[in-house]
């Protein structure tokens, strides 16, 4: 098992948001977590990535058989966890490729590899940029600086493609995208599915799942997974709405 | 998980790297100042009468002046009678003619500072005029510069060998009465650098001066005068460090730049004077008057500064844009940490038509430091079509520091265009987390964000200084990881 979450409780600013969540992800699986606003979807993503201020009050999370909760955010990243941010921040003056190269080398160093040489790096970056339909000029721009909403999301998937994580958590990567951008993002994700890499897709809408076929769909409400199923569950949510599904789960 | 506040606390607890004292016997005047001290300094330096008269005039003006109080600085009262105004390393009467004759301890000091004074200097093509306390110790590359007609020497030598140039230009940009500290400097300055680049000459190398304050309780009052004659070009680098001491030391320098028609002066500073300890004990009081005069048409003066040290920084490198179509630039990074205070900025005085100025100021505050940008853009009635662009950005680290922006604008010409942009941001937890989530350690993440913030200024620095500035930033941020 790649990731095993048991009875997770997490608080932000003293308020408990995640209230006893269980989830298991095996290598190669794609899980989608859906839920209404305020159900704790993004909190789960941030807590798994180790964002400071997200306090784990109870429960256990193991990743590759190790206690994930003991690791700092950067250690988790170097261990292969990637978070695609819902709102990627701008870092003025730091070029996209500069950050990416530092990130890639940090991961390589962790696994005992040499730093990537510049020619190889640029070849890799160009290839992945093409996949995400990102312009070359985009690479030397400041990180997310002046990017449109769609560019920011494509940039997240571009980074994921270069860093090749073992577990990618994509937090509402589909929000704010038009249908063309959504297809580009979905293609980028699908290209990364290799039977080993696992994904946790966090989304409010079923729409994304038309393009990325999940193995499992979970409904998150009140900080807990209240229902799990396959792709049909997402379609059911779309057809009947969260309220009906939640009421049925509660009943 | 370490909280943000802890991180910043650790970050500000870095140690000063240049805090050592060189044990050399010094010839130091007893503390205090009166006319006899001025006479003594002038006599020790064997100065001509005009210099003594000039100093005495400054001293008399200074006695009636008050310290400026408008800056956003909290300063312990300075007892000017408790300062010694002259300190020179003891040595044979004859000045050293080569590096071999220089006290090895001095050279060792420079070595610790990483100053390329030996063969490295030759390889790097840097001419160093090293000022140790008040007396210039050695000047390299004089011959090569002389071949180009460039005069680069200590101020004392200039007074001896080029008195006509000194008399003609000294005080024409920063007059003795300019301000309290400039007047004091004019009275008691002991050395500094002098540069003259003749007409049409492009100075064949970057000129560099390292100043170092060593003797305790010694004020350092250096004076620099750079003249770029018509159509000439010169780039000057200034680096500063000082040893660690519990008491405060006063540093009141004056720098005057003169650019004649079509001339260009680029003046770069990396200032890393001792900033005091975590509780604000010790550290340099840095009161500096720097001003450039774009005297001729199409002339250009560009200031670039990285201010990382000093307990107190009071410094406004300025440009008087007198010549038509002259250009003034000010690029600044000011970092304050612990109890450091900086009140720094620039003045752009537009007099000529079609003059242009650019101000890019980046202030970084951490610990309990206070960092203020203070800038004046003045467009006089004669400054038709003058333009200014000002950008002031402040970065806060932690929640105990302060950033302040005081832009002043005086526009007396309707055709002038003045733009001002200002931002204040915290080194956002979100930015840190973003970088860390990509696998960067916290320290690397902070370095990357800060260097990105400073990039617009760093890229104005000459290559070797840009690297030094980045390293200085990284040293400043050492220990950020818990």
């Amino acid at each position: 098992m790649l990731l095993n979450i048991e009875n997770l409780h997490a608080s932000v600013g003293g308020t408990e948001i995640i209230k006893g969540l269980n989830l298991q992800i095996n290598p190669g699986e794609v899980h989608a977590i859906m839920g209404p606003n305020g159900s704790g979807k993004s909190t789960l993503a941030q807590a798994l990535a180790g964002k400071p201020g997200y306090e784990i009050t109870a429960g256990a999370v193991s990743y590759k058989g190790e206690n994930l909760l003991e690791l700092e955010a950067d250690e988790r990243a170097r261990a292969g966890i990637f978070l695609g941010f819902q709102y990627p921040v701008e870092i003025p003056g730091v070029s996209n490729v500069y950050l990416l190269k530092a990130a890639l080398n940090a991961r390589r160093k962790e696994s005992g590899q040499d730093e990537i040489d510049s020619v190889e790096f640029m070849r890799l970056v160009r290839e992945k940029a093409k996949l995400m339909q990102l312009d070359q000029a985009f690479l030397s721009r400041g990180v997310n600086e002046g990017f449109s909403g769609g560019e920011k999301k494509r940039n997240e998937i571009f980074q994921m493609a270069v860093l090749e994580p073992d577990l990618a958590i994509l937090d509402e990567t589909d929000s704010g995208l038009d249908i063309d951008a959504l297809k580009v993002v979905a293609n980028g994700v699908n290209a990364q599915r290799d039977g080993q890499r696992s994904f946790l897709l966090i989304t409010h809408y079923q729409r994304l799942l038309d393009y990325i076929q999940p193995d499992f769909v979970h409904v998150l409400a009140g900080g807990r997974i209240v229902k799990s199923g396959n792709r049909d569950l997402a379609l059911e949510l779309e057809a009947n709405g969260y309220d009906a599904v939640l009421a049925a789960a509660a009943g | 998980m370490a909280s943000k506040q802890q991180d910043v606390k650790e970050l500000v607890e870095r140690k000063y790297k240049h805090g050592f004292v060189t044990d050399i016997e010094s010839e130091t005047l007893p503390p205090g100042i009166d006319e006899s001290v001025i006479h003594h300094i002038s006599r020790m330096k064997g100065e001509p009468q005009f210099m003594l008269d000039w100093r005495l005039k400054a001293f008399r003006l200074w006695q009636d002046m008050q310290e400026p109080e408008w800056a956003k600085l909290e300063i312990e009262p300075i007892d000017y009678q408790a300062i010694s105004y002259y300190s020179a390393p003891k040595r044979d009467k004859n000045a050293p003619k080569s590096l071999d004759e220089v006290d090895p301890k001095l050279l060792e000091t420079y070595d610790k500072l990483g100053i390329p004074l030996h063969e490295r200097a030759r390889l790097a093509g840097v001419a160093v005029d090293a000022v140790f306390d008040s007396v210039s110790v050695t000047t390299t590359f004089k011959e090569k510069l002389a071949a180009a007609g460039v005069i680069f020497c200590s101020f004392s030598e200039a007074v001896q060998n080029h008195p006509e140039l000194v008399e003609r230009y000294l005080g024409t940009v920063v007059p003795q009465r300019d301000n309290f500290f400039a007047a004091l400097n004019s009275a008691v300055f002991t050395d500094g650098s002098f540069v003259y680049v003749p007409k049409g000459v492009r100075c064949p190398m970057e000129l560099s001066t390292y100043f170092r304050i060593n003797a305790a309780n010694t004020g350092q009052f250096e004076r620099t005068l750079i003249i770029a004659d018509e159509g000439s070009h010169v780039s000057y680098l200034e680096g500063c460090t000082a040893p660690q001491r519990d008491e405060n030391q006063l540093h009141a320098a004056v720098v005057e730049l003169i650019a004649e028609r079509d001339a260009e002066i680029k003046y770069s500073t990396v200032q890393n004077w001792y900033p005091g300890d975590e509780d604000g004990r010790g550290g340099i009081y840095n009161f500096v008057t720097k001003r450039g005069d774009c005297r001729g048409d199409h002339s250009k003066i560009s200031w670039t500064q990285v201010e990382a040290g000093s307990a107190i920084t009071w410094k406004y490198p300025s440009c008087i844009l007198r010549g038509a179509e002259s250009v003034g630039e000010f690029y600044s990074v000011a970092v304050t940490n612990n109890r450091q205070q900086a009140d720094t900025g620039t003045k752009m005085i537009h007099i000529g038509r079609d003059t242009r100025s650019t101000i890019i100021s980046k202030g970084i505050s951490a610990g309990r430091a206070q960092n203020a940008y203070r800038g004046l853009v003045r467009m006089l009635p004669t400054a038709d079509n003058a333009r200014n662009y000002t950008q002031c950005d402040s970065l806060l680290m932690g929640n105990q520091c302060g950033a302040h922006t005081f832009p002043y604008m005086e526009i007396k010409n309707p055709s002038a265009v003045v733009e001002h942009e200002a931002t204040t941001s915290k080194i956002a937890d979100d930015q840190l987390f973003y970088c860390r989530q990509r696998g960067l350690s916290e320290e690397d993440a902070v370095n990357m964000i800060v260097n990105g913030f400073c990039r617009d200024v760093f890229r104005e620095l000459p290559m070797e200084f840009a690297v030094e500035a980045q390293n200085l930033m990284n040293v400043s941020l050492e220990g950020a990881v818990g």
Side-chain angles (χ1 to χ4, degrees), chain B residues 34-74:
Chain B
D34 57 22
E35 291 206 359
S36 76
V37 169
I38 314 286
H39 279 277
H40 180 83
I41 291 170
S42 192
R43 195 167 53 243
M44 289 291 288
K45 306 191 80 63
E47 289 179 346
Q49 187 65 35
F50 86 87
M51 244 354 289
L52 175 62
D53 294 344
W54 199 81
R55 288 176 182 279
L56 288 171
K57 184 183 165 198
F59 179 67
R60 286 162 196 157
L61 287 165
W62 178 73
Q63 283 178 303
D64 292 330
M65 295 173 86
Q66 301 296 320
E67 285 170 300
E69 285 176 350
W70 40 261
K72 189 163 173 46
L73 301 170
E74 281 176 35

Side-chain angles (χ1 to χ4, degrees), chain B residues 11 15 54 60 145 169 214 221 365 376 417:
Chain B
L11 173 141
K15 292 284 177 276
W54 199 81
R60 286 162 196 157
L145 291 170
Y169 287 103
N214 189 61
F221 306 91
S365 307
L376 168 67
V417 179

Side-chain angles (χ1 to χ4, degrees), chain A residues 128 131-132 160-161 185-194 197 199:
Chain A
K128 303 296 186 188
L131 172 75
M132 295 310 297
M160 179 188 81
V185 164
N187 285 341
V189 172
N190 287 329
Q192 291 290 302
R193 292 180 72 167
D194 60 358
R197 185 164 296 123
F199 292 85

Side-chain angles (χ1 to χ4, degrees), chain B residues 283-435:
Chain B
I284 300 290
Y285 285 179
N286 196 28
F287 298 97
V288 177
T289 304
K290 289 183 166 174
R291 196 173 301 152
D293 188 355
C294 284
R295 216 160 266 189
D297 295 351
H298 313 289
S299 56
K300 178 178 175 183
I301 289 178
S302 181
W303 299 101
T304 306
Q305 62 173 22
V306 176
E307 300 286 321
S310 294
I312 291 181
T313 297
W314 179 97
K315 183 181 172 191
Y316 315 90
S318 302
C319 296
I320 301 167
L321 302 170
R322 207 183 295 276
E325 296 177 44
S326 59
V327 175
E329 293 174 340
F330 175 74
Y331 301 98
S332 172
V333 167
V335 189
T336 50
N337 218 330
N338 296 324
R339 296 283 188 150
Q340 277 180 282
Q341 305 177 66
D343 192 300
T344 184
T346 185
K347 289 188 275 188
M348 293 291 175
I349 312 297
H350 291 254
I351 301 173
R353 64 164 176 84
D354 298 298
T355 46
R356 283 183 291 129
S357 63
T358 303
I359 299 170
I360 308 282
S361 167
K362 306 276 182 179
I364 301 164
S365 307
R368 283 173 289 179
Q370 296 292 327
N371 200 327
Y373 167 81
R374 188 181 302 277
L376 168 67
V377 177
R378 179 181 288 157
M379 303 288 192
L380 293 178
T382 47
D384 288 336
N385 303 313
R387 305 178 75 87
N388 163 266
Y389 173 74
T390 300
Q391 186 189 330
C392 295
D393 298 322
S394 303
L395 189 66
L396 299 170
M397 305 176 78
N399 50 17
Q400 294 178 289
C401 54
H404 316 274
T405 304
F406 304 99
Y408 304 87
M409 291 177 212
E410 295 175 20
I411 318 298
K412 301 208 170 106
N413 186 309
S415 65
V417 179
V418 177
E419 288 176 78
H420 180 92
E421 290 179 27
T423 64
T424 300
S425 50
K426 287 193 77 164
I427 190 159
D429 292 346
D430 285 351
Q431 289 176 328
L432 271 180
F433 178 57
Y434 190 85
C435 293

Side-chain angles (χ1 to χ4, degrees), chain B residues 53-228:
Chain B
D53 294 344
W54 199 81
R55 288 176 182 279
L56 288 171
K57 184 183 165 198
F59 179 67
R60 286 162 196 157
L61 287 165
W62 178 73
Q63 283 178 303
D64 292 330
M65 295 173 86
Q66 301 296 320
E67 285 170 300
E69 285 176 350
W70 40 261
K72 189 163 173 46
L73 301 170
E74 281 176 35
I75 307 169
E76 292 288 307
I78 300 169
D79 181 356
Y80 293 91
Q81 295 300 340
I83 295 168
S84 166
Y85 289 86
Y86 187 77
S87 171
K90 247 185 202 164
R91 61 180 182 216
D92 295 338
K93 279 192 182 137
N94 299 321
K97 290 178 187 66
S98 74
L99 284 172
D100 302 339
E101 296 176 32
V102 174
D103 189 324
K105 274 191 187 156
L106 268 183
L107 297 178
E108 212 178 289
T109 303
Y110 289 127
D111 232 35
K112 284 187 208 164
L113 293 175
I115 299 171
L117 203 62
H118 299 285
E119 206 55 33
R120 283 180 297 170
R122 267 165 236 275
L123 293 171
V126 178
V128 179
D129 176 26
V131 175
F132 191 89
D133 285 352
S134 309
V135 173
S136 177
V137 177
T138 184
T139 303
T140 50
F141 284 92
K142 258 185 207 165
E143 291 86 4
K144 191 173 172 189
L145 291 170
V150 175
I151 303 167
F152 176 42
C153 60
S154 71
F155 205 95
S156 310
E157 287 173 274
V159 169
Q160 297 303 325
N161 302 331
H162 309 283
E164 71 295 341
L165 285 173
V166 173
E167 193 169 7
R168 184 168 154 205
Y169 287 103
L170 179 66
T172 61
V173 186
V174 181
Q176 292 126 308
R177 65 174 75 243
D178 189 81
N179 66 71
F180 181 86
F181 298 108
L184 178 60
N185 173 286
S186 300
V188 302
F189 74 89
T190 38
D191 220 327
S193 291
F194 178 87
V195 177
Y196 174 79
V197 189
K199 281 183 190 175
V201 171
R202 198 176 172 89
C203 188
M205 61 187 72
E206 311 256 2
L207 304 180
S208 168
T209 302
Y210 273 77
F211 294 106
R212 180 166 164 82
I213 298 175
N214 189 61
N217 274 328
T218 309
Q220 178 149 324
F221 306 91
E222 85 265 6
R223 183 127 196 152
T224 294
L225 178 56
I226 298 177
I227 303 140

